[in-house]
Amino acid sequence: MDALTDTQPGTLAVQQPYEYERVVPVEPDWRRLPGWRDVTPAQWRDVQWQRAHCVKTPRQLRSVTGPLLTDRFFEDLEEDRRRYATMSMLLTPQMLNTMAPHAPAEPVAFTETFLADPVRRYMLPVAGDRDPEWPSHPFAERDSLHEAEMWVVEGLTHRYPTKVLAELVSTCPQYCGHCTRMDLVGGSTPQVDKLRLTLKPADRQDQMIDYLKRTPGVRDVVVSGGDVANVPWPRLESFLMRLLDLESVRDIRLATKALAGLPQHWLQPQVLEGLERVARTAARRSVNIAVHTHVNHAQSVTPLVAEAARAALDTGVRDIRNQGVIMRGVNDTPGALLDLCMILQGEANILPYYFYMCDMIPNAEHWRVAVWEAQELQHRVMGYLPGYATPRIVCDVPYVGKRWVHQLTDYDRELGISHWTKNYRTGIELDDPEALTRRYPFYDPITTLPESGRRRWRENAAKEA
């Protein structure tokens, strides 16, 4: 599209800070990778083929990329797995194929392009990505949002007065390096011995439904995990129908990154037919049912993703909404964020909804941005999208919950400490008289602070050493 200009006589044509140009999604050619040279389109669309060919080890990655990735990359990857990784390695072919889609075929150039790729940066981190001085913030925590602390039964977090999070499974089709539930989700790593769900799935669901029957003040259920795409469909449909039997439940949200990472799952006839049954039942009972997905870069939005989103909407699901995470080097510029929102909204019928600041989990400092950077980013994306499709950038403050990034109470920019308040009690604070007046802290990455602030954090760390 031509640049918007000031066309009055005697004035200069001035470009807008962001120039929109429609981009139609394209499925990257997986055959550019040596290990997939003979994979047919029918195989690529087959969910079982996708799951069977997930990349779980450096050796499997090398078998896909052949000579394109040099030893330098694999040495960096192994060091990360040994020293930093909080998530085990698991990449669907679909997700891996969106990394460096236009990289040169010469190995050194391919490796450089692959290392710089924004999708690779958060899905397949290497040691060279991490902050060398502060890989973790001193106040980072494995369960940074204290969700397990707020379990009312195993896997059911009652954090907000009218909403609960139901974790049906602790696995996903693919693992993101920045996972907020890194304490529970996926296999253990040298850094993290993961927690485990201990109840049988049927028993866990029974306990969740029983709690909701006894707690009619809950009207909104986020069904998540892990990822609901890893719940066998009959079991998931049964749970959703049981939720729909509860008069108090008025909103149900299905959380799945697989819409982008494994759209083949959501295109299965069994899944679409079952989703239509659930959506019809929800409509009869005036319950809103939506799908929430997680896309962080425009490269991940391919024709298969758009097809899966449209197919889900055609079943009667009310909305498909994206909840991304702002990450440095991935989508922390207005251009990258607006490009993502434009392709989600305009080409895949996915509503840009929330972008979270990356949570304060271990070894995540290289991804995190400061609150002031998030505020500036929010300012700079306003006005380009319809109001209903303009995402809110939020900070998920421990013990507080989601807050727009401008809702802080005070902010020490030198030390990078912001304080936040809230207007409700979590389930573990019902007897806490100060819960609504306490100021809860959140911390900027230390590398974003002025030198005086960084020095004070170093001095404090030295005293505690």
Side-chain angles (χ1 to χ4, degrees):
M1 178 179 288
D2 292 338
L4 296 177
T5 59
D6 183 343
T7 57
Q8 302 220 352
T11 63
L12 294 174
V14 180
Q15 282 192 320
Q16 295 286 3
Y18 175 79
E19 296 292 335
Y20 167 70
E21 182 175 350
R22 183 182 178 189
V23 176
V24 178
V26 175
E27 206 76 43
D29 186 358
W30 57 86
R31 293 168 298 185
R32 76 189 188 281
L33 299 174
W36 294 336
R37 200 157 279 156
D38 298 323
V39 175
T40 67
Q43 287 175 308
W44 193 260
R45 289 183 65 94
D46 184 340
V47 66
Q48 297 307 325
W49 186 92
Q50 287 278 330
R51 287 189 184 271
H53 290 83
C54 283
V55 172
K56 304 176 184 178
T57 66
R59 181 177 179 180
Q60 290 175 333
L61 178 62
R62 196 185 286 271
S63 74
V64 172
T65 60
L68 293 177
L69 277 179
T70 65
D71 289 344
R72 171 197 168 197
F73 177 84
F74 288 99
E75 290 165 2
D76 211 359
L77 178 62
E78 288 286 10
E79 183 181 358
D80 194 76
R81 284 158 56 87
R82 186 175 66 254
R83 297 180 57 192
Y84 300 113
T86 59
M87 297 299 294
S88 49
M89 185 176 173
L90 181 61
L91 290 166
T92 61
Q94 175 74 27
M95 181 62 73
L96 179 56
N97 191 44
T98 66
M99 298 179 191
H102 306 297
E106 191 277 321
V108 173
F110 182 94
T111 300
E112 290 295 333
T113 305
F114 195 75
L115 279 167
D117 185 78
V119 180
R120 195 284 310 164
R121 278 187 61 83
Y122 78 93
M123 289 300 302
L124 188 62
V126 294
D129 298 331
R130 309 285 182 175
D131 188 306
E133 183 177 10
W134 301 98
S136 296
H137 194 280
F139 289 104
E141 296 185 72
R142 286 169 46 158
D143 181 8
S144 66
L145 301 180
H146 306 277
E147 290 179 337
E149 190 177 340
M150 299 179 197
W151 280 357
V152 288
V153 301
E154 184 181 81
L156 189 68
T157 299
H158 194 169
R159 186 181 183 196
Y160 300 95
T162 61
K163 299 184 283 186
V164 295
L165 167 72
E167 296 168 289
L168 297 191
V169 67
S170 61
T171 62
C172 299
Q174 70 282 303
Y175 293 135
C176 311
H178 65 285
C179 181
T180 189
R181 298 195 184 108
M182 48 76 60
D183 200 35
L184 174 70
V185 171
S188 295
T189 72
Q191 288 70 47
V192 183
D193 188 16
K194 303 290 177 113
L195 299 178
R196 288 288 178 263
L197 297 172
T198 59
L199 293 174
K200 294 179 180 179
D203 294 338
R204 188 181 313 116
Q205 292 185 16
D206 286 346
Q207 290 192 13
M208 290 177 177
I209 295 295
D210 181 64
Y211 177 81
L212 293 173
K213 287 178 179 177
R214 293 183 283 106
T215 316
V218 173
R219 63 174 306 282
D220 181 357
V221 181
V222 178
V223 185
S224 183
D227 193 310
V228 295
N230 273 21
V231 182
W233 181 261
R235 185 190 304 161
L236 178 59
E237 182 174 346
S238 171
F239 183 70
L240 296 176
M241 289 300 194
R242 294 175 75 184
L243 289 178
L244 289 169
D245 282 337
L246 303 177
E247 290 293 331
S248 53
V249 173
R250 311 312 302 155
D251 279 281
I252 298 173
R253 294 177 272 169
L254 304 180
T256 174
K257 186 171 183 176
L259 193 70
L262 190 65
Q264 294 86 350
H265 169 82
W266 293 101
L267 287 168
Q268 294 178 94
Q270 177 198 30
V271 171
L272 290 173
E273 291 163 7
L275 194 57
E276 185 172 11
R277 288 190 294 270
V278 171
R280 281 202 309 264
T281 303
R284 285 199 304 270
R285 301 180 185 181
S286 299
V287 175
N288 297 311
I289 186 162
V291 172
H292 281 204
T293 192
H294 178 182
V295 186
N296 289 322
H297 196 271
Q299 284 174 201
S300 296
V301 184
T302 74
L304 273 171
V305 174
E307 183 182 347
R310 286 192 296 269
L313 288 169
D314 286 345
T315 68
V317 167
R318 172 175 173 168
D319 288 304
I320 299 177
R321 308 176 188 125
N322 186 60
Q323 296 189 143
V325 176
I326 298 296
M327 286 182 286
R328 193 174 303 282
V330 177
N331 54 18
D332 62 324
T333 66
L337 195 60
L338 284 168
D339 284 349
L340 170 57
C341 292
M342 295 294 182
I343 200 168
L344 285 170
Q345 169 72 6
E347 309 300 332
N349 299 110
I350 298 173
L351 185 73
Y353 177 46
Y354 275 152
F355 280 94
Y356 291 82
M357 295 180 64
C358 186
D359 291 319
M360 292 180 56
I361 56 172
N363 297 333
E365 290 305 276
H366 66 292
W367 284 309
R368 295 203 310 121
V369 301
V371 170
W372 65 266
E373 291 176 299
Q375 291 174 336
E376 178 65 17
L377 192 56
Q378 181 76 81
H379 172 74
R380 294 178 69 183
V381 301
M382 299 299 291
Y384 289 96
L385 290 150
Y388 69 90
T390 300
R392 298 173 181 174
I393 301 179
V394 296
C395 183
D396 207 344
V397 183
Y399 292 115
V400 174
K402 291 180 287 293
R403 287 291 181 268
W404 300 350
V405 290
H406 290 83
Q407 285 186 292
L408 46 76
T409 300
D410 59 64
Y411 192 7
D412 183 336
R413 287 279 298 273
E414 182 185 21
L415 294 179
I417 304 174
S418 52
H419 286 99
W420 311 72
T421 58
K422 61 182 179 179
N423 58 327
Y424 51 81
R425 292 179 174 86
T426 63
I428 61 175
E429 298 169 321
L430 298 180
D431 297 324
D432 183 352
E434 298 179 357
L436 303 188
T437 57
R438 183 179 294 111
R439 299 186 315 151
Y440 297 82
F442 190 83
Y443 300 91
D444 289 346
I446 294 172
T447 52
T448 66
L449 306 183
E451 177 53 37
S452 59
R454 297 198 298 270
R455 183 172 60 251
R456 290 174 65 181
W457 278 101
R458 290 190 194 106
E459 291 169 352
N460 189 63
K463 290 177 184 178
E464 294 181 359

